[in-house]
Amino acid sequence: MKIKLQLIIIIVLGFSRLVDAQSRDNYNMWFQYLMSAKLTDKNTLTALSQYRSFDMAYDTRLFLVSAYVDYEVANEVRPAVGAMFLVLDSYRSDSSKKERYEKRPFQQVSLGGNIGRTSISHRFRVEERFISNPDEFIVRLRYLISLRIPFNRAGEKEKLYGILKNEIRMNVVKEDPFDSNRLTAGIGIKTGKNSAIEVAFINQLETGSTSNYAYIGYRNSFDWRKNKNK
């Protein structure tokens, strides 16, 4: 446990120095909590909250809450429906802040599998974005590929795992269909049988700009089934 805490402290301090050394819009913080709960043998509820800032914590960039329910129609094939609410803060050219709100229903399909002991997943998502100030409606398509790489040997208790993700996002109707590409690389540190702390570096490329985030997240899972299969 001491080794885990020391590793977390070292990584957080390293990210802190990286963020402090960079200017706004180049390096930012990203905090997230994610939970998943089995509702039935086929249904899972996933919910998350997320906070992003232009500095270590106080200069708000984005806040969101999201939830969706999926259904396993075949092995490792899970369609889902969900919704998201966001508060978006950005800087104008005169350094004043602009706040926008967004309501975002979405539909998705997730596909899972393995390459050896590495788990791989694909997620295809369609979003309907209703944004205020000014009012705007955008349909966006997203494709995410994720790898979870075990660092332990086969048969050993898992303590650490690698995270590698890439997501491309495209607008359906817009002069420039490309929205952004997001690359994530990091590690997960198991804190319990069903929980983990994750730290990562996120690079997001948009048309004409690039944003980088130091990511710290916590995830855990629950089993809320009334009749659990043994």
Side-chain angles (χ1 to χ4, degrees):
M1 187 64 183
K2 290 182 179 179
I3 295 175
K4 289 181 182 179
L5 290 174
Q6 290 172 356
L7 183 58
I8 294 169
I9 291 170
I10 290 169
I11 293 171
V12 170
L13 288 176
F15 279 154
S16 300
R17 292 180 181 178
L18 182 64
V19 171
D20 287 339
Q22 303 298 328
S23 61
R24 190 175 69 210
D25 291 327
N26 289 327
Y27 284 89
N28 314 266
M29 290 300 298
W30 180 319
F31 303 95
Q32 180 172 291
Y33 170 73
L34 184 146
M35 64 81 71
S36 62
K38 292 284 291 184
L39 303 178
T40 68
D41 292 343
K42 296 289 186 179
N43 289 101
T44 301
L45 167 68
T46 301
L48 69 86
S49 61
Q50 190 181 110
Y51 176 79
R52 304 180 206 170
S53 62
F54 289 102
D55 57 8
M56 284 300 296
Y58 301 107
D59 192 359
T60 303
R61 180 170 183 145
L62 176 150
F63 173 76
L64 70 82
V65 290
S66 175
Y68 64 85
V69 176
D70 63 32
Y71 182 81
E72 188 174 36
V73 295
N75 185 39
E76 301 286 0
V77 180
R78 294 180 172 274
V81 293
M84 188 181 299
F85 175 76
L86 306 91
V87 181
L88 310 166
D89 286 285
S90 60
Y91 278 96
R92 298 184 177 95
S93 58
D94 62 358
S95 294
S96 63
K97 268 201 163 182
K98 178 180 180 180
E99 188 171 79
R100 308 183 76 186
Y101 297 93
E102 180 178 344
K103 298 174 183 177
R104 186 190 300 176
F106 59 86
Q107 307 79 43
Q108 69 181 41
V109 176
S110 298
L111 309 175
N114 293 279
I115 302 175
R117 295 175 55 236
T118 297
S119 59
I120 181 170
S121 66
H122 307 267
R123 188 187 72 191
F124 304 87
R125 177 179 286 185
V126 180
E127 301 174 324
E128 296 80 39
R129 305 179 64 195
F130 298 87
I131 310 172
S132 66
N133 190 27
D135 291 343
E136 188 177 8
F137 175 70
I138 303 170
V139 176
R140 187 166 67 178
L141 307 178
R142 302 171 62 162
Y143 166 65
L144 170 69
I145 181 170
S146 304
L147 297 175
R148 189 179 189 278
I149 308 162
F151 288 160
N152 60 300
R153 295 179 180 178
E156 291 182 343
K157 184 178 180 181
E158 185 178 56
K159 297 179 180 179
L160 298 172
Y161 56 89
I163 302 164
L164 188 60
K165 303 178 183 180
N166 192 69
E167 182 177 42
I168 185 168
R169 304 187 291 183
M170 304 290 291
N171 299 306
V172 173
V173 179
K174 217 171 184 183
E175 291 182 4
D176 183 3
F178 175 75
D179 181 276
S180 58
N181 189 83
R182 182 182 293 164
L183 178 65
T184 303
I187 62 169
I189 305 163
K190 297 282 287 186
T191 57
K193 183 179 179 181
N194 299 310
S195 62
I197 292 173
E198 297 180 341
V199 291
F201 174 78
I202 299 175
N203 171 267
Q204 182 162 305
L205 174 65
E206 302 175 27
T207 302
S209 67
T210 300
S211 298
N212 298 294
Y213 296 88
Y215 170 90
I216 301 174
Y218 180 75
R219 63 164 60 228
N220 58 359
S221 59
F222 304 93
D223 193 338
W224 293 346
R225 292 175 294 178
K226 292 182 178 180
N227 299 309
K228 301 177 184 179
N229 291 331
K230 302 297 183 179

